[in-house]
Amino acid sequence: QVQLVESGGGLVQAGGSLRLSCAASGSIDSIDAMGWYRQAPGKQRELVADITSGGSTRYVDSVKGRFTISRDNAKNTVYLQMNSLKPDDTAVYYCKGESMIATIPDYWGQGTQVTVSS
C-alpha cells in the first residue's frame, strides 16, 4: 500500500506563487509516475502535470511556463511549483501515484485547496 499526503495549498492573490508537496509513504518502490491533478467546482478532474521515475515531465497547456513539477526520490516527495497564478487555477489539487504493476489501481492523496483571488 502507498499513502500520499499533499500540503502547501492556500489562498493567494493573482500573480502569486505556491508550492505544493506530496509525500509518499509505504510501498514507494512500487510507484512509477507521479502527477498532480486538479478539480474545480462543476468540472472534471484534469491532469496538471506528471513526472516519470526517470524524470520525464508533461504539462497541460494552460500551465506550461508557469508550473514546474519535480521529484525528490530521496525524500519520496513530488513538488508542484506554481507561479503567476490565475483565478482559473483555483481548484482542489490531488497527487496521484501510478503503480508499476498494471493491475494495481492508482494511489490518490486527499487533496489540497488552492484558491487564487483576482
Side-chain angles (χ1 to χ4, degrees):
Q1 267 291 8
V2 172
Q3 295 78 42
L4 302 176
V5 179
E6 302 102 333
S7 61
L11 173 63
V12 65
Q13 289 187 331
S17 298
L18 285 174
R19 188 176 83 154
L20 305 183
S21 300
C22 173
S25 61
S27 302
I28 54 177
D29 290 342
S30 66
I31 296 177
D32 185 8
M34 294 189 72
W36 287 96
Y37 287 69
R38 66 187 179 186
Q39 188 166 18
K43 295 186 178 181
Q44 290 189 331
R45 190 173 297 188
E46 66 170 352
L47 170 69
V48 177
D50 62 11
I51 183 167
T52 67
S53 55
S56 297
T57 60
R58 59 175 180 169
Y59 299 87
V60 68
D61 286 347
S62 60
V63 308
K64 287 180 180 178
R66 300 189 297 122
F67 291 10
T68 302
I69 190 170
S70 61
R71 185 169 180 167
D72 186 336
N73 290 327
K75 295 183 178 180
N76 303 319
T77 301
V78 64
Y79 303 97
L80 185 68
Q81 178 66 44
M82 306 186 294
N83 298 328
S84 302
L85 282 161
K86 303 175 181 180
D88 284 350
D89 296 317
T90 295
V92 178
Y93 284 69
Y94 297 90
C95 177
K96 187 183 88 167
E98 296 179 7
S99 173
M100 293 180 181
I101 303 172
T103 55
I104 294 179
D106 296 332
Y107 304 106
W108 289 92
Q110 81 287 352
T112 185
Q113 176 71 46
V114 171
T115 303
V116 184
S117 63
S118 57

